[in-house]
């Protein structure tokens, strides 16, 4: 195991910082990833294997490895249920980009099965006044969803002191094709599985042929029984994760972007559930990369947290990863937000150092 970072549109300076902090691997989370797109296919979002190789070599020039690229699945899940022709077009793009990743020497791509983004209901103060995104199911309202749900970061306040709604940025890269839950029109459990099965069937054969691992990020957060606004999160439980891997039980290409925080959100006993998941999916070689993050709280009531202050026993998790033979990257993720660290570089540096210390202690 080793520490690494998941970065969006990194610069030379940012990669130097990662290397100086002791990171070994980098996951590029840019969606779309413009530097790897073919010059004549930027609008279509098609990657060029030679440009993937160039990006890989650029990362390697900083003494790092390029472990994974992010596939922009857009709205393919909802489209597979309602606009099949659009879904088919997206699927062909994804197959092309998986082949391009392989051609460029990158053997893992990650994607999310979120249809409605990352649902949050508010922001609360953490230690020292840091801002921590929170999800409390009993506080869910459409207006809270619009204001506080996000994609990877707590949305900063604008000059009026209010947080912009994701609705204001629809169509921008950070929205990744998702919509607010109130606009999804209802997604039953059967619909959710049908959409996920569509995506897996569309891209898994290509990945297997190319020797590329598909790292699936589960639903964040787990939704209550009956869903929210009629939308169900079928990969919001260990049973859901089990059903997912059983879609292709013999495949070496179907596995997880194992988001430890997301799995902790599935249970009122988060440490026990995370350890159970590690010990179940680790020996199956289904953990392709790890978001090594913590939360405070658990199922239907939690906030984001720094790794040392949450409800999950992070040292026990490190020991469990080691126990099952996991040898991949550990990336910090979802650290809180603060006006004194607007780019969160110091917060992520803290998380990296904390993780490295756990590795050395183990």
């Amino acid at each position: 195991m080793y520490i690494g970072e998941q970065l969006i549109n990194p610069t030379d300076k940012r990669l130097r910082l990662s290397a100086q902090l002791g990171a070994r691997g980098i996951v590029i989370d840019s969606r779309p990833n413009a530097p790897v797109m073919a010059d004549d296919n930027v609008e279509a979002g098609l990657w060029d294997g030679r440009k993937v190789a160039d990006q890989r070599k650029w990362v390697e020039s900083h003494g790092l490895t390029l472990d994974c690229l992010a596939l922009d699945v857009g709205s393919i899940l909802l489209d597979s249920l309602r606009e099949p022709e659009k879904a088919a077009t997206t699927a062909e793009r994804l197959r092309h980009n998986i082949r391009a990743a392989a051609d460029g020497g990158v053997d893992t791509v990650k994607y999310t099965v979120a249809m409605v983004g990352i649902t949050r209901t508010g922001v609360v103060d953490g230690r020292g006044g840091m801002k921590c995104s929170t999800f409390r199911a009993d506080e869910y309202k459409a207006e809270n969803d619009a204001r506080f749900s996000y994609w990877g970061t707590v949305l900063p306040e604008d000059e009026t002191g209010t947080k912009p709604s994701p609705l204001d940025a629809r169509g921008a890269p950070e929205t990744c094709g998702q919509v607010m839950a109130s606009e999804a029109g209802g997604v039953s459990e059967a619909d959710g599985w049908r959409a996920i099965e569509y995506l897996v069937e569309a891209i898994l054969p290509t990945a297997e042929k190319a020797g590329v691992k598909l790292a699936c990020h589960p639903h964040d957060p787990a939704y209550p029984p009956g869903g929210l606004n009629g939308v169900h999160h079928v990969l919001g439980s260990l049973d859901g994760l089990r059903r997912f891997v059983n879609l292709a039980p013999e495949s070496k290409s179907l596995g997880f972007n194992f988001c430890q925080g997301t799995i902790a959100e599935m249970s009122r006993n988060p440490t026990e559930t995370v350890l159970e998941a590690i010990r179940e999916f680790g020996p199956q070689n289904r953990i392709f990369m790890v978001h090594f993050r913590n939360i405070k709280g658990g199922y239907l009531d939690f906030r984001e947290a720094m790794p040392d202050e949450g409800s999950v026993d992070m040292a026990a998790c490190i020991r469990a990863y080691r126990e099952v033979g996991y040898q991949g990257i550990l990336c910090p993720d979802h650290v809180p937000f603060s006006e004194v660290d607007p780019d969160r570089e110091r917060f992520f540096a803290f998380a990296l150092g904390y993780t490295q210390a756990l590795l050395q202690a183990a």
Side-chain angles (χ1 to χ4, degrees):
M1 285 181 288
Y2 53 92
I3 60 171
E5 291 206 86
Q6 179 173 278
L7 300 173
I8 298 174
N9 300 324
T11 62
D12 278 298
K13 181 179 179 180
R14 188 64 184 82
L15 289 178
R16 286 200 302 273
L17 177 61
S18 293
Q20 291 167 5
L21 291 171
R24 277 177 47 191
I26 294 294
V27 174
I28 293 186
D29 198 29
S30 309
R31 280 165 283 175
N33 190 350
V36 304
M37 288 185 187
D39 292 334
D40 57 348
N41 275 304
V42 171
E43 289 188 9
L46 298 179
W47 295 353
D48 183 322
R50 291 167 298 180
K51 290 196 170 187
V52 171
D54 289 343
Q55 190 170 65
R56 175 180 54 78
K57 292 172 184 175
W58 171 60
V59 171
E60 291 171 350
S61 73
H62 292 276
L64 303 160
T65 59
L66 178 53
D67 286 30
C68 180
L69 296 174
L71 279 181
D72 181 4
V73 301
S75 57
I76 189 172
L77 293 164
L78 282 175
D79 292 340
S80 70
L81 301 172
R82 292 157 196 175
E83 297 186 58
E85 290 184 4
K86 183 180 177 184
T89 298
T90 302
E92 184 53 45
R93 169 174 58 81
L94 296 175
R95 289 189 288 267
H96 174 98
N97 290 351
I98 290 167
R99 290 189 291 266
D103 291 343
V106 177
D107 69 358
T108 305
V109 295
K110 71 187 198 73
Y111 64 100
T112 176
V113 291
M115 294 185 182
V116 295
I118 299 173
T119 309
R120 297 292 186 262
T121 57
V123 173
V124 297
D125 285 348
R127 66 185 181 205
M130 64 173 61
K131 304 300 179 184
C132 304
S133 180
T134 185
F135 176 73
R136 292 173 178 158
D138 61 1
E139 295 180 358
Y140 181 85
K141 294 185 291 188
E143 53 266 38
N144 287 343
D145 192 1
R147 185 179 180 193
F148 296 111
S149 294
Y150 68 104
W151 185 256
T153 62
V154 176
L155 294 170
E157 294 183 350
D158 61 21
E159 63 276 5
T160 68
T162 61
K163 293 182 182 295
S165 164
L167 295 171
D168 299 333
R170 187 171 295 116
E174 62 268 28
T175 63
C176 300
Q178 289 130 13
V179 300
M180 303 306 298
S182 58
E183 296 185 324
V187 179
S188 68
E189 289 189 54
D191 287 339
W193 281 114
R194 190 160 64 250
I196 288 170
E197 289 165 6
Y198 173 90
L199 178 58
V200 170
E201 291 171 3
I203 64 177
L204 182 59
T206 298
E208 290 177 330
K209 185 175 181 180
V212 171
K213 292 177 285 189
L214 300 173
C216 171
H217 192 299
H219 284 130
D220 181 2
Y223 277 1
L228 292 175
N229 292 308
V231 176
H232 290 73
H233 271 179
V234 296
L235 292 192
S237 67
L238 293 192
D239 283 341
L241 302 188
R242 294 180 184 113
R243 178 170 172 176
F244 177 78
V245 298
N246 283 330
L247 294 177
E250 303 302 321
S251 178
K252 296 180 179 179
S253 290
L254 189 69
F256 295 114
N257 174 162
F258 192 87
C259 181
Q260 191 175 288
T262 297
I263 291 168
E265 296 162 15
M266 298 175 181
S267 172
R268 291 190 172 90
N269 299 297
T271 294
E272 294 176 18
T273 297
V274 171
L275 293 177
E276 181 181 355
I278 293 169
R279 288 171 177 146
E280 179 166 350
F281 298 114
Q284 297 177 30
N285 295 316
R286 299 287 189 166
I287 301 176
F288 295 156
M289 60 170 286
V290 172
H291 282 168
F292 194 65
R293 60 177 267 242
N294 210 339
I295 61 165
K296 188 72 172 177
Y299 180 58
L300 304 182
D301 187 356
F302 66 87
R303 69 165 175 85
E304 309 287 8
M306 294 296 278
D308 65 306
E309 60 158 352
S311 299
V312 178
D313 184 337
M314 303 292 269
C317 292
I318 287 288
R319 293 192 293 270
Y321 288 121
R322 184 180 181 188
E323 172 190 315
V324 302
Y326 176 67
Q327 297 182 359
I329 193 169
L330 301 169
C331 295
D333 192 33
H334 286 216
V335 297
F337 180 84
S338 172
E339 74 280 1
V340 301
D341 187 21
D343 295 326
R344 301 192 299 170
E345 289 184 347
R346 284 177 282 176
F347 283 8
F348 277 118
F350 176 92
L352 284 171
Y354 178 84
T355 307
Q356 182 76 324
L358 290 181
L359 286 169
Q360 290 180 350

